[in-house]
Structures are given as structure tokens and as C-alpha cells.
Amino acid sequence: MEYLKVIAFTHHHIDLKSLGKLVICDQSLDSRLKNVQAELPVSEIFYVGTCNRVEFVFLTKEKTDKEFVTRFLTVLDMGLPPEFMERFLDNVTVYENEEAFNHLLRTSCSLESLVVGEKEILAQIRKAYENCRDAGFTGDYMRMIMERVVKTAKEVYTHTNISKNPVSVVSLAYRKLKELNMCGNSRILIIGAGETNQNIAKYLNKHKYSNFSIFNRTFSKAESLAAELGGKAYPLAALEDFNEGFDVIITCTGSTEAIINEALYAKLLNGDQGKKVIVDLAIPNDVMPAVIHNNPVHYIEVESLKEVARKNIQERYNELVHAEEIISNNITEFFSVLKQRRIELAMQEVPRKIKEIKNTAIHGVFAEEISQMDEASREVLERVMNYMEKKYISVPMVMAKEILVNQP
């Protein structure tokens, strides 16, 4: 554990736009990490790059002070202007030894994420490690570290409620829609083809909803989303003339004023008196209050979802104590695993040595005596020797592990 180090640049100290300058593209990652291993005493390394963090996890005997981090960034050859180099050096976080391991576990369990409880970070770290492992940048020690990272994260996500309740507006809106038990052929009008509506539409499409009509000011974006969903695309101006009816309106535009007033809503209803669903994710709202007050509507809007999200986030934070207990237990367990692995590596020559001794005894020291034995006697001797060989290998290994593991 004493050689494990992490150099971390994260959203906690660096704005996301600046952080992007440290992201390494897949095409140049191998060459940059090879430079690090060629120029610095780094035996194993892997790189993690997400929208919220850039981290380097590695093994070195060197002390990771400011001078080392400066050399590290210089060797990476990121082409950073001097002002950015200074900014990163002033805002870097360095973890060493057990603290580095604890940080890696906390990060994989999303305790360090922008949104606590988001499981994506574990998959991102795992994939980052596997890419570097396959490229030959990591070895046995990092393999053991990552096995424990994955085990710990799975325990946290399974045995705590840290990720149980959604906190994004889109996932909460979809959950509300799901609670209404809409039928699969519900007519869904999507007004606005930005990221928010794209995401909620993908949720719906994944769950077999397929009757979409997409309206957007830029028609090409409506066409793109419609093609993905198997729906129909319209320019936003065509909304006033739409007379095919609807069951659900999902709206999120960048308009500074409400775009659905009572007159437009009445046209869209086209005489239909049934209760409708409106999901208004725009800020400010796209639907005028009078539409909600004067019509039978299930209304889902951002402010109410934000309140649910706030409560869910608080519940997730309340689970931190349980998650940290799981992490602490895994760190303690891992020290025993490391001790056992040290014994295995130290004694990996024992089987070969014992085989050599057996072969020397049979074919050298006692060769003449054995040659005078009958076939049945030689078979018995061979079985005895094989039995003794196995015991001479396994017994010392077990005893050594017990002695080392039981040491304080």
C-alpha cells in the first residue's frame, strides 16, 4: 500500500471548462503513459477521465510533492500554457498510500461525485483501468486494488440506499409519468428537441412508447430526434395547426415566455374532454398557469421535481455513514489480502525447488537403488514422493500465511 499514489484534478477545485484541457484522447493515451513510465519511476499506472475529474492512479516509491507533480505533467506533454500549468498545480489534490486507496474506494462508490449515488463512476473507473491493463500499463498489484474497488462499490450500492432514489429532473419526471400507467400507444407531443427532452424521450422509447410528434424551432433537430424515436417531426410554428390530438405533452424550450396559452391548448385538444398529462421542464415554464387551472390536467413541472430531488439528495447523504463503514471494513480486509499475496509471491519458487530436489533424489542420489526395485515397489515410492511433494509445498505456504496474517 505504501507505493500507491493518486494525482487528482476534480470539480471540487477546478472549473469544468479548465478541467477539459487535461482530458487525454484515446488516440494519444498510450504514448503519454509510456512517456511517464519511461521518464519517471512509475511501475503501474492507469488514467481516469470524466466530465468531472481527471485522475492518475499509479505506483511509485517517489514522494509525490509539487516538484514530482510538475515533472509528471511536463512528461505528459499536454501542451499546457504556463498560466494553466500553474493553475493546475495550485489546485491539484495528491493522495498517498492508504489515503490514496481510501480515495479510490470513495470515488468508485460515488461519495466524491458531483451527484452522490450516481453509479456511472464505477463503470468509468473500471473501463479506464481495463483499457490501461490491456495496454500493459498495470500489473498484479493494480489488479488486486481494482478487484477490491469493484467489490466495495458493489457492496455500497447493494447494502445502502445511496443510489436508490433518483435526483435528476429527467429521471424523476419519467418516474412520475410511469406512476400514471400510460398505455403504450399514448400520443406524445414533444415540444423542444434539446438535451432534456432528448433524454426523457429516450426513457420513454426504451419502455416501448412509440407514438411521438416532435416540434422544434430548428426543424433539423426535430427531424434528428424523430428519426431516433420513429416519430414525426414538425417546425415549432406548425404547433398551432396540429389537430391529431394528444395524451401527453412534454415541453422544454428556451423561450423566455410561456408558449402554450389557453387558446393554443384548446386547439390542440380539438374538442377532446379527457384528462391529459403535461410535463413542463422549462424554466420559466412553457405552460401558462391558466391552462392548468382551467383544464383537467396531471401537471408535472420543474419546481415540484426539484423539491423531490432535494429530499432524495439528503437521503443519499444520510447513507454516507453506512457507505464509509463498508469502505473502512474493506480497507482492513484488504491489508490481510495483501499480506497473503506477499507470501504467495515470496514463496512462488518453493514448488520448483521441491520438484528439483525430488528429481535429483530419484535420478541422481538414489538412482541405482531405485533401479534395483521391482515395478510395484517403484510405483509405491513414486506415490509416496508425490504425496510428500504436495505436503512440502502446501504446509509451509499455509503456515507462513497464518503467521503473517496473525501478526499485529
Side-chain angles (χ1 to χ4, degrees):
M1 190 68 71
E2 59 185 323
Y3 300 141
L4 182 63
K5 312 293 171 67
V6 177
I7 293 176
F9 305 92
T10 73
H11 61 89
H12 292 297
H13 303 111
I14 301 172
D15 66 275
L16 299 185
K17 186 176 181 181
S18 297
L19 200 58
K21 295 185 179 298
L22 283 172
V23 174
I24 303 175
C25 67
D26 292 342
Q27 290 76 13
S28 66
L29 179 60
D30 283 13
S31 62
R32 295 187 191 282
L33 295 187
K34 282 177 183 174
N35 285 346
V36 170
Q37 289 191 317
E39 300 291 331
L40 298 172
V42 170
S43 57
E44 299 185 36
I45 184 169
F46 74 92
Y47 155 85
V48 179
T50 74
C51 57
N52 295 324
R53 66 183 63 250
V54 168
E55 302 197 9
F56 299 89
V57 184
F58 57 97
L59 302 179
T60 185
K61 296 180 181 179
E62 296 279 305
K63 182 173 177 58
T64 43
D65 52 16
K66 186 173 182 179
E67 180 183 351
F68 180 92
V69 177
T70 303
R71 287 167 58 208
F72 190 96
L73 289 180
T74 302
V75 169
L76 274 175
D77 191 24
M78 301 289 289
L80 297 171
E83 64 271 19
F84 275 101
M85 177 70 90
E86 284 303 315
R87 185 185 305 175
F88 290 134
L89 289 172
D90 289 341
N91 292 283
V92 66
T93 307
V94 176
Y95 302 92
E96 296 187 321
N97 311 330
E98 186 178 337
E99 186 183 32
F101 188 42
N102 183 55
H103 167 75
L104 199 52
L105 292 176
R106 287 178 58 85
T107 302
S108 70
C109 298
S110 84
L111 273 61
E112 300 289 343
S113 296
L114 197 59
V115 179
V116 170
E118 295 301 313
K119 293 182 180 180
E120 288 80 4
I121 186 62
L122 173 60
Q124 290 167 335
I125 291 176
R126 198 172 183 175
K127 186 173 187 298
Y129 161 73
E130 288 171 352
N131 287 342
C132 290
R133 177 201 63 196
D134 294 344
F137 293 111
T138 67
D140 187 62
Y141 190 91
M142 210 63 86
R143 172 191 64 78
M144 295 177 65
I145 290 286
M146 282 306 301
E147 284 179 356
R148 183 60 52 161
V149 163
V150 172
K151 174 183 179 294
T152 304
K154 285 182 176 179
E155 287 179 8
V156 167
Y157 293 131
T158 301
H159 300 300
T160 75
N161 291 320
I162 201 164
S163 63
K164 292 295 190 293
N165 296 316
V167 295
S168 75
V169 166
V170 168
S171 58
L172 286 167
Y174 173 71
R175 179 171 284 198
K176 289 281 188 183
L177 279 172
K178 192 176 178 183
E179 289 171 359
L180 295 174
N181 294 318
M182 303 182 307
C183 62
N185 64 349
S186 295
R187 299 163 296 173
I188 302 173
L189 302 191
I190 297 179
I191 304 172
E195 184 178 0
T196 299
N197 275 359
Q198 287 176 32
N199 289 337
I200 196 167
K202 287 172 185 175
Y203 268 114
L204 290 165
N205 194 36
K206 182 180 178 182
H207 290 84
K208 310 305 180 187
Y209 292 94
S210 57
N211 193 348
F212 296 99
S213 299
I214 297 97
F215 296 81
N216 194 64
R217 199 176 305 279
T218 304
F219 182 56
S220 60
K221 288 186 177 181
E223 285 184 309
S224 177
L225 183 55
E228 191 172 345
L229 301 175
K232 298 177 182 177
Y234 302 88
L236 185 60
L239 193 60
E240 285 201 20
D241 300 318
F242 187 78
N243 59 7
E244 296 180 24
F246 70 94
D247 301 296
V248 182
I249 291 177
I250 299 173
T251 182
C252 184
T253 72
S255 175
T256 56
E257 298 180 357
I259 61 172
I260 300 179
N261 54 31
E262 286 191 277
L264 175 58
Y265 190 72
K267 282 186 177 180
L268 292 172
L269 285 173
N270 198 25
D272 191 341
Q273 300 296 313
K275 192 169 188 177
K276 304 300 179 183
V277 178
I278 298 178
V279 181
D280 188 350
L281 301 181
I283 300 175
N285 290 343
D286 280 339
V287 181
M288 293 191 72
V291 173
I292 312 305
H293 295 153
N294 299 328
N295 294 276
V297 170
H298 288 291
Y299 186 53
I300 301 167
E301 47 87 35
V302 170
E303 285 307 316
S304 62
L305 295 176
K306 279 186 174 179
E307 179 59 22
V308 176
R310 187 193 64 76
K311 290 178 180 177
N312 286 355
I313 286 174
Q314 186 56 51
E315 286 181 21
R316 288 188 176 190
Y317 274 98
N318 291 343
E319 291 295 301
L320 288 181
V321 63
H322 304 303
E324 286 171 347
E325 184 179 349
I326 290 172
I327 289 172
S328 178
N329 290 339
N330 271 277
I331 290 174
T332 302
E333 286 177 15
F334 189 65
F335 280 121
S336 294
V337 172
L338 270 184
K339 287 181 178 180
Q340 291 184 42
R341 184 57 177 162
R342 287 215 308 270
I343 284 290
E344 290 171 1
L345 293 174
M347 298 188 71
Q348 63 185 358
E349 283 295 296
V350 171
R352 186 179 65 80
K353 290 290 186 184
I354 290 175
K355 284 181 184 295
E356 284 181 2
I357 293 169
K358 186 185 87 168
N359 289 332
T360 300
I362 292 173
H363 303 293
V365 179
F366 301 104
E368 186 176 343
E369 290 90 333
I370 292 172
S371 68
Q372 296 173 8
M373 297 170 67
D374 59 59
E375 186 175 347
S377 298
R378 284 199 298 271
E379 286 181 1
V380 171
L381 178 62
E382 182 70 22
R383 290 204 300 272
V384 170
M385 293 292 283
N386 288 339
Y387 175 80
M388 295 297 290
E389 178 187 351
K390 289 178 183 177
K391 290 301 178 183
Y392 277 126
I393 291 171
S394 63
V395 171
M397 193 82 75
V398 171
M399 291 176 66
K401 284 183 179 180
E402 287 178 351
I403 291 169
L404 188 56
V405 170
N406 291 330
Q407 281 181 348

